[in-house]
């Protein structure tokens, strides 16, 4: 299973290191065989490439990403190989496990039964209660000093106004180049033009984290960035969005 197929995640090593694999019983012919399915990739030793060749099934994180990574010129430079082995390559959809069920989730302020045809009002009421709890949790600090202390101690940048009519949109995950550019490009427009509130949670490259810190500080009451992978706020967010 491949979560990322960019070169930084492929297990690339200097080509001369292939000699060290020979002691494992790997033959020298496996470096660059005629079918080009060996360990060699643009002169480097590429473990991911060989794993794709040898695996019975190759999975990635979504059907869309499976399509994107097969497009000619993809930055991972394995698009040709993935097209060659497209018959065993597929993307699987994300899903939340039972611990995220809002009817039984202990992290929620107001548990509720989702997708209830019998009581849609109860669903709406439960979501509103959890949305309010999230907005209060990330509410405005009383003073600038308190805001700075919250940034330092809790990794919370920016704040949310209490506004139950504002659409709530979030992003949670690894904040690294290649994953968040599209979200960042659209974030300011969502806030300024659509009145959306944004909740971003995760850690990653310092330069990407800085961009989300700046986004939160530039949009008081509208954007909060929580520099953590703590589960509890995510539960509250999923229940209230």
């Amino acid at each position: 299973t491949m979560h990322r197929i960019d070169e930084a995640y492929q297990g690339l090593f200097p080509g001369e290191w292939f000699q060290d694999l020979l002691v494992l019983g790997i033959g020298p012919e496996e470096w660059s065989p005629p079918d080009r399915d060996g360990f060699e990739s643009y002169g480097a030793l590429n473990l991911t490439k060989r794993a794709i060749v040898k695996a019975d099934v190759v999975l990635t994180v979504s059907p869309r990403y499976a399509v994107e990574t097969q497009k000619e010129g993809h930055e991972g430079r394995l698009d040709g190989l993935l097209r060659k082995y497209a018959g065993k390559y597929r993307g699987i959809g994300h899903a939340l496990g039972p611990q995220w069920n809002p009817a039984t989730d202990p992290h929620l302020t107001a548990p509720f039964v989702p997708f209830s045809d019998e009581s849609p009002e109860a669903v709406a009421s439960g979501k509103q209660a959890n949305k309010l709890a999230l907005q209060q949790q990330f509410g405005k600090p009383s003073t600038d000093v308190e805001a700075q202390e919250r940034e330092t101690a809790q990794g919370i940048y920016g704040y949310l106004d209490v506004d139950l009519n504002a659409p709530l949109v979030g992003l949670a995950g690894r904040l690294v180049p290649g994953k968040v550019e599209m979200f960042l490009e659209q974030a300011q427009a969502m806030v300024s033009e659509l009145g959306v509130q944004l909740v971003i949670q995760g850690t990653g490259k310092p330069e990407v984290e800085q961009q989300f810190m700046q986004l939160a500080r530039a949009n008081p009451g509208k954007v909060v960035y929580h520099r953590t992978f703590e589960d509890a706020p995510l539960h509250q967010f999923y229940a209230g969005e």
Side-chain angles (χ1 to χ4, degrees), residues 2 5 58-75 78-80 82-83 86 89-92:
M2 302 183 295
I5 310 180
V58 181
L59 301 177
T60 193
V61 294
S62 73
R64 179 178 178 179
Y65 192 56
V67 172
E68 289 178 358
T69 51
Q70 293 179 70
K71 291 180 179 178
E72 187 172 357
H74 184 268
E75 60 186 328
L78 292 177
D79 49 285
L82 292 171
R83 290 194 299 272
Y89 179 45
R90 64 202 67 165
I92 55 176

Side-chain angles (χ1 to χ4, degrees), residues 168-188:
L168 189 62
V169 175
L171 170 70
R174 286 279 297 159
L175 306 181
V176 295
K179 295 188 70 173
V180 299
E181 282 82 357
M182 184 178 297
F183 186 88
L184 279 167
E185 289 173 2
Q186 299 175 354
Q188 190 60 60

Side-chain angles (χ1 to χ4, degrees), residues 99 104-110 130 231-233 235-236:
Q99 71 271 25
T104 56
D105 192 337
H107 296 289
L108 300 189
T109 300
N130 287 293
D231 257 1
H235 287 251
Q236 198 74 63

Side-chain angles (χ1 to χ4, degrees), residues 54-220:
K54 290 294 187 180
D56 294 317
V57 178
V58 181
L59 301 177
T60 193
V61 294
S62 73
R64 179 178 178 179
Y65 192 56
V67 172
E68 289 178 358
T69 51
Q70 293 179 70
K71 291 180 179 178
E72 187 172 357
H74 184 268
E75 60 186 328
R77 299 206 295 182
L78 292 177
D79 49 285
L81 186 73
L82 292 171
R83 290 194 299 272
K84 180 177 180 178
Y85 288 100
K88 65 176 182 180
Y89 179 45
R90 64 202 67 165
I92 55 176
H94 288 288
L96 295 176
Q99 71 271 25
W100 297 85
N101 184 347
T104 56
D105 192 337
H107 296 289
L108 300 189
T109 300
F112 63 94
V113 178
F115 311 118
S116 173
D117 293 331
E118 296 181 2
S119 184
E121 295 83 4
V123 175
S125 176
K127 291 183 74 65
Q128 287 281 72
N130 287 293
K131 182 177 183 178
L132 175 61
L134 187 74
Q135 290 173 334
Q136 291 173 335
Q137 177 185 351
F138 292 128
K140 183 179 181 179
S142 301
T143 65
D144 290 343
V145 173
E146 182 182 334
Q148 293 173 356
E149 290 176 347
R150 186 164 76 166
E151 289 182 359
T152 302
Q154 302 178 54
I156 298 174
Y157 299 82
Y159 64 90
L160 297 180
D161 290 331
V162 172
D163 182 357
L164 295 179
N165 293 318
L168 189 62
V169 175
L171 170 70
R174 286 279 297 159
L175 306 181
V176 295
K179 295 188 70 173
V180 299
E181 282 82 357
M182 184 178 297
F183 186 88
L184 279 167
E185 289 173 2
Q186 299 175 354
Q188 190 60 60
M190 286 193 287
V191 171
S192 303
E193 300 173 17
L194 302 178
V196 167
Q197 288 186 333
L198 300 180
V199 178
I200 301 102
Q201 180 168 318
T203 61
K205 293 288 186 179
E207 62 270 23
V208 179
E209 292 181 358
Q210 284 292 330
Q211 288 180 281
F212 282 109
M213 293 176 192
Q214 293 168 7
L215 179 69
R217 290 166 176 158
N219 294 277

